[in-house]
Amino acid sequence: MRHWRSRGAIAWLLWPASLFFGVMVILRRLFFRLRLFKSHSAGIPVIVVGNLTAGGSGKTPLVLHVAGILKEHGWKPGIVSRGYLGSAQQPRAATIAADPAEVGDEPILLARRSGCPVWVAPERIAACRALRAENPECNVIVTDDGLQHYALRRDIEICVVDGSGVGAGFLQPAGPLREPRARLRSVDAVVTQGAPDAQGYKMVLEGDKLVRFTDARDVRAAKSFAGQRVHAVAGIGDPKRFFLQLARFGIKVVPHPFPDHHPFRAQDLEFGDEAPVLMTEKDAVKCKRIVAGNPQAQFWVFPVSASLDPAFERWLLEKLGGSKAA
């Protein structure tokens, strides 16, 4: 109780700063709409998958789901990302061989899972142009994050709201919001992942297999680890969600939460025993070199996929077919 009171007190102390931040956010968006700030077209349809809050909310699995729908229906999608925490300042292709320190962790995961060309750059339009130059067959772009990146024009906006909802409605720095919650009314679709205060297409992250880190051919049912004590490692937006997913299979989880996008070191994965270590796909991208130096260790990866109401697929294809760029 004291913890929540303390957080509430801090939020109210920061409220004046949040008010100023909110005014700046509204003016910035207005200036883009009035074309006082310049925005750029990618020349092909752009689908933005973003959120209102800082941190993870399930955007990456949804981007993979959207890309899968598009490929299934004959589109040739490319994916663009900021490459959060990556050092690249110029457009770079994110491939399975790329260094996550340069292009970020999520773009490499997107490249491996989607089979689509993935490019990163601080300016999304630069990434779009580089992607199209190298992949002229690409006829639609999906951006991982970037709802607030108005310098890139978009045809479809999809906002993800996770189980934490939008909190008390405070903007940064008092709260988690990047934009006012009223922004939900202007996006084309809202996708909710257990959010109690948002209406939209329901999304569930599903997974029931574990893949051995050093041998992707070794795939086991997650329930085969039931009753076994494991170390669960998660450096994602909501580590608790990962721990609960594993616990539902009867696995005895020893949780090891880390900050989102944590740059793992070898000592982070040393727990002083021989118990298996289970981690998310996003974390596995950053732990590749660590695990390669210890091939006999029991490291396992838990892949998940987004599952949505079929109505979302119908809506997306109809909306895309009617977009101006299409």
Side-chain angles (χ1 to χ4, degrees):
M1 181 65 72
R2 287 182 180 178
H3 173 69
W4 287 106
R5 287 178 179 174
S6 176
R7 286 183 60 183
I10 293 173
W12 280 108
L13 285 172
L14 293 173
W15 180 78
S18 291
L19 183 61
F20 176 76
F21 177 82
V23 171
M24 293 298 100
V25 165
I26 293 171
L27 288 176
R28 177 174 174 271
R29 187 168 179 230
L30 177 63
F31 290 168
F32 272 110
R33 292 183 68 179
L34 295 175
R35 308 222 172 166
L36 298 176
F37 289 170
K38 193 170 183 179
S39 62
H40 306 271
S41 170
I44 56 177
V46 172
I47 303 171
V48 171
V49 177
N51 62 350
L52 292 188
T53 57
S57 61
K59 295 186 297 294
T60 300
L62 181 56
V63 167
L64 288 169
H65 185 74
V66 168
I69 291 173
L70 297 175
K71 290 176 69 176
E72 184 179 343
H73 288 84
W75 290 84
K76 298 186 182 301
I79 298 174
V80 162
S81 170
R82 163 66 178 87
Y84 183 65
L85 293 183
S87 61
Q89 295 302 306
Q90 299 299 321
R92 291 283 303 275
T95 66
I96 58 175
D99 184 350
E102 293 182 356
V103 302
D105 46 21
E106 288 160 342
I108 297 176
L109 171 59
L110 287 167
R112 185 171 65 81
R113 285 283 300 272
S114 72
C116 299
V118 180
W119 280 72
V120 304
E123 296 295 328
R124 268 71 162 195
I125 187 59
C128 291
R129 289 169 176 164
L131 187 156
R132 293 196 66 198
E134 293 294 324
N135 304 272
E137 74 283 0
C138 175
N139 56 13
V140 60
I141 287 174
V142 185
T143 74
D144 183 21
D145 206 0
L147 187 62
Q148 292 78 32
H149 190 78
Y150 295 113
L152 175 63
R153 295 178 195 168
R154 65 286 309 270
D155 297 87
I156 300 175
E157 291 183 329
I158 303 172
C159 185
V160 187
V161 181
D162 68 4
S164 62
V166 294
F170 284 117
L171 290 161
Q172 296 178 345
L177 292 180
R178 299 170 174 179
E179 293 184 284
R181 69 168 74 196
R183 179 74 167 88
L184 289 175
R185 296 197 294 267
S186 65
V187 300
D188 296 290
V190 175
V191 171
T192 68
Q193 189 186 177
D197 55 354
Q199 298 295 319
Y201 296 101
K202 306 298 182 185
M203 178 174 74
V204 177
L205 298 184
E206 297 178 339
D208 60 2
K209 301 284 193 303
L210 284 160
V211 181
R212 192 179 183 94
F213 203 129
T214 54
D215 185 359
R217 297 168 297 180
D218 191 352
V219 181
R220 304 185 188 180
K223 62 183 180 183
S224 68
F225 287 76
Q228 192 170 353
R229 178 177 172 273
V230 307
H231 295 286
V233 174
I236 58 177
D238 184 6
K240 187 190 301 182
R241 185 170 61 210
F242 174 58
F243 304 146
L244 290 175
Q245 282 178 311
L246 297 178
R248 292 191 186 103
F249 295 106
I251 301 172
K252 296 181 179 178
V253 175
V254 179
H256 299 277
F258 290 87
D260 196 14
H261 300 282
H262 178 69
F264 283 93
R265 300 169 298 173
Q267 51 265 44
D268 293 329
L269 304 180
E270 295 172 356
F271 304 114
D273 58 33
E274 300 301 317
V277 178
L278 278 52
M279 63 182 65
T280 70
E281 280 188 292
K282 190 172 86 167
D283 295 319
V285 167
K286 294 172 289 187
C287 297
K288 185 176 181 179
R289 293 177 182 174
I290 299 172
V291 176
N294 191 8
Q296 302 305 316
Q298 290 282 330
F299 288 99
W300 297 83
V301 181
F302 183 65
V304 297
S305 298
S307 176
L308 280 85
D309 187 317
F312 173 80
E313 179 176 331
R314 295 192 296 270
W315 168 83
L316 176 65
L317 293 171
E318 181 179 345
K319 186 75 175 178
L320 181 59
S323 71
K324 293 180 180 178

